[in-house]
DNA sequence: CAATAATCGAGACGGTACGTCACGTCTTCTT
DNA sequence: AAGAAGACGTGACGTACCGTCTCGATTATTG
């Protein structure tokens, strides 16, 4: 996804020899990614042009096209390369507190300038499956791994039922955030995060599931 | 949003006289909206061109631009005008069953051809606040009104706490659906809907709230 | 040329009845012609639009099209209707003085704002034979008639040869003026007019013709 | 006039380096000029569209606009580039014969398909001073230089007065031709050319001037 | 050290769609 | 029936980017 085939010449080719010819300019690569992020943050996805990226990065247009097959790939790559800030899951001894604190970090990012880039990516992803796949793989997946660990600690401590569906639980926690973020229909506040945790963890505490099913079958 | 200013001449102008000049062609308007939906469903947002819409509707390009300021407005209008199918909230006597059944209808639509249109709108909305506002006003808001009524019946029956935050509850129910829909990270199945209801309604049943808060303050 | 067929209903139809329906608005007709001249003088032929003429005359576009088949006809008509100023041929007793004085009037007009209109007409005439024909009929022909009379007085007085070709003579006098006017390659001055008269009348005096031919046959 | 500023990079820049970037395509340039002439000859100025020129030349529209600022410049350039045919001034030993023969060549061209192009240029020139300037510089001026030489030979031979105004003389010879050509009010025939020469050279023979002035002061 | 090879910035190329403008026609109500 | 108003389908305008290409220049490896 990240690069076109010629770039594979420069990958991790172990002890093999370097390819002949002038090597790829790392400087150009970084300038392009930086310019992409900058312009994305300023004008959103639809106003981002390769022409502007190249000009802003003082780079030939062909250099962009040589390494990225299309705008979506460029954006995905730029976004991935920018995941500098760590979204940390603490270990307070309470799943809910752990999750809640991380979710507060998330909404902070969503409301920052990086949120604009993120929404541009998700927008681009609606008509390009590579972009959305890149988002999942590079942004969501690593965080999910951490979240699994946090949730499993909760299960071990008996705060959550043993048979809880982790993805269902995580989608239920983060889905409301994404909804408010993307549809912008209300403020993304810490209070809102608390409310969601309240509801979802309230429904996820051990022993509830059976009773819930029971209640449902009663109807 | 729907129309540019000149169109206001044709709106509900009460007892006033009709505007002079040839009236707007209702036939052209409908043909444009129909063509927009058709092409949107076929090729997604980024491949939709006004030129193609006009050609497909056998209409002059200027006629499109006369009434819609940009592609986003056109899409929003087309989408709004197409909300023919009713998303019904039943009244089974159980909030959770009512909501669950409606949510199953929702995911059915999301997974249909209309889902493609919807995701195109939400994508367009990320760089155009008018589009996202139109989506909220014309698609989401009417359904929220119905949902409020359903939830209030649940409160009246004692299935939900009296002080429950309706918007928080609804975002917690629909957010996970939107998340899976837009990020496409997993299947949108009836089972998933059940799981979300299980969690959220489990946390929203009366009497839970106080205990939840108590637990939290323990930390 | 001036008007489309329906207009013939309004011509001088002797004692016959007037056509039924609302009669043509003389006010609109004049406003259109005036606006045409004004806009022609301001922006030249290529920038003149029927749309602008109609708007400037506070007239419906269809009213223009009802009476004039195209822009060229409108311009020709507007120009013809504006030939208010008389271009007078004096009778001083000398052909050359008579012509010279009239030609000075001509260059005065050519150099005025009306000259811009005139050049617009001649330009339009290059791709529309109706326009150039209208120019000849309505502008040039009446003046030619007067010029013939002036020249014939010169013949009668013996200032010009009896067998002189009047059109050749007039073209030789006015051609240089039109050339400098249209190609704008030098100033159109009274001195220039004098020089042309000097040359042409010098070659047109009686008795010259034979000698000239004789010289030519010497070669 | 011929080209926009960027083109200056490709001009005769002495010993300096070539400009960077892909060089201008000579093939495209020629195809555009050829297509312009062809379409001009077929349909006249007002029906000539840049779109058609580009299509006919199998060239992008932007390539036309990159090098010519507007239709008039394109036409002027196309015309100038096509001045292949030499309009020769012979040297028969008689000015009048020399001029007469060249003028016959001129009217031959004016009456050919190239005459259509020429009248289109002069028409365009009425609302665009660059066009008329280009016509003067590139078409008229070179011929004037030759004509001056011819006339000076006549002066040297004593056929013309020493103090004759060359431009006045030439305008008097060619003006009538342009007049009949542009106003199309009569045929452009060799006979007409002879008549004009008769008149004008009759008035320009040496010794005439003083007497003419004398006559004039008699009045 | 020369030859080879792939990169670089630059920018012209053939295209496509943009959003605007004027065309000439039409449909409404008013005079 | 003609008028003003103004929407209609049409098509060219001139612009902006697309993704490709051709330049000369640069920077590496290979012989």
């Amino acid at each position: 996804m990240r690069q076109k085939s010629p770039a594979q010449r420069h990958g991790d080719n172990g002890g093999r020899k370097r390819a002949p010819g002038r090597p790829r300019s790392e400087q150009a690569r970084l300038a392009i990614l930086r310019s992409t992020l900058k312009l994305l943050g300023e004008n959103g996805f639809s106003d981002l042009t390769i022409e502007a990226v190249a000009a802003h990065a003082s780079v030939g247009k062909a250099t962009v096209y040589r390494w990225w097959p299309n705008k979506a790939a460029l954006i995905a790559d730029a976004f991935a390369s920018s995941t500098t800030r760590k979204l940390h899951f603490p270990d307070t001894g309470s799943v809910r507190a752990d999750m809640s604190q991380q979710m507060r970090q998330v909404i902070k990012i969503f409301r920052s300038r990086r949120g604009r880039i993120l929404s541009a990516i998700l927008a681009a992803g609606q008509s390009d499956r590579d972009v959305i796949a890149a988002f999942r793989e590079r942004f969501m997946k690593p965080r999910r791994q951490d979240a699994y660990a946090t949730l499993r600690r909760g299960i071990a401590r008996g705060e959550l039922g043993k048979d809880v569906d982790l993805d269902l639980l995580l989608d239920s926690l983060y889905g409301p955030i994404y909804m408010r973020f993307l549809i912008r229909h209300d403020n993304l506040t810490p209070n809102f995060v608390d409310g969601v945790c309240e509801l979802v963890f309230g429904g996820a505490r051990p022993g509830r599931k059976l009773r819930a099913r029971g209640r449902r079958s009663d109807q």
Side-chain angles (χ1 to χ4, degrees), chain A:
Chain A
M1 162 89 212
R2 186 179 196 167
Q3 294 161 330
K4 283 173 148 172
S5 49
Q8 294 171 349
R9 299 185 311 102
H10 303 286
D12 173 24
N13 45 15
R16 272 171 292 166
K17 284 179 177 177
R18 283 233 323 64
R22 178 174 176 173
R24 177 175 185 182
S25 162
E26 185 66 10
Q27 184 183 327
R29 191 186 133 258
L30 290 176
I32 290 168
L33 294 177
R34 264 194 301 266
S35 297
T36 301
L37 286 176
K38 179 151 185 286
L39 296 175
L40 250 195
E42 285 172 2
N43 298 92
F45 172 74
S46 59
D47 290 355
L48 181 79
T49 66
I50 300 281
E51 201 120 336
V53 169
H56 187 273
S58 299
V59 143
K61 248 197 306 180
T63 301
V64 180
Y65 284 109
R66 187 162 16 238
W67 302 108
W68 293 275
N70 50 56
K71 199 158 63 171
L74 175 60
I75 291 177
D77 212 20
F79 178 70
S81 79
S82 76
T83 316
T84 42
R85 179 97 89 88
K86 198 71 201 287
L87 285 167
H88 186 60
F89 284 84
D91 187 358
T92 63
S94 150
V95 232
R96 183 168 153 188
D98 291 354
M99 293 306 297
S100 169
Q101 285 185 30
Q102 198 267 357
M103 284 160 76
R104 284 165 182 247
Q105 293 178 58
V106 167
I107 64 171
K108 211 175 211 168
I109 288 184
F110 279 19
R111 302 182 66 171
S112 74
R113 252 173 51 83
R114 276 183 54 79
R116 192 162 173 63
I117 297 174
L118 211 148
S119 76
I121 302 247
L122 291 174
Q126 298 313 306
S127 53
D128 189 319
R129 59 179 59 247
D130 285 344
V131 172
I132 207 71
F135 173 79
R136 280 199 309 270
E137 282 302 305
R138 303 208 219 169
F139 182 79
M140 222 167 73
K141 199 172 171 184
R143 282 157 190 79
R144 282 265 147 141
Q145 300 301 336
D146 291 352
Y148 291 157
T150 301
L151 294 179
R152 287 201 189 97
R153 287 197 305 267
I155 294 172
R157 283 191 299 260
E159 296 173 276
L160 297 172
K162 285 185 179 174
D163 52 355
V164 69
D165 178 339
L166 296 188
D167 278 317
L168 168 65
L169 184 52
L170 289 172
D171 286 356
S172 296
L173 287 170
Y174 291 98
I177 292 177
Y178 276 91
M179 186 171 180
R180 290 212 169 173
F181 172 55
L182 292 174
I183 304 184
R184 257 175 276 287
H185 76 100
D186 209 342
N187 288 333
L188 260 185
T189 60
N191 269 349
F192 174 66
V193 167
D194 286 344
V196 172
C197 288
E198 171 85 27
L199 279 178
V200 173
F201 282 108
R205 73 181 194 286
R208 269 223 69 263
K209 221 162 192 180
L210 295 174
R211 274 164 51 203
R213 283 194 178 142
R215 272 181 66 176
R216 190 179 166 205
S217 59
D218 288 345
Q219 298 166 1

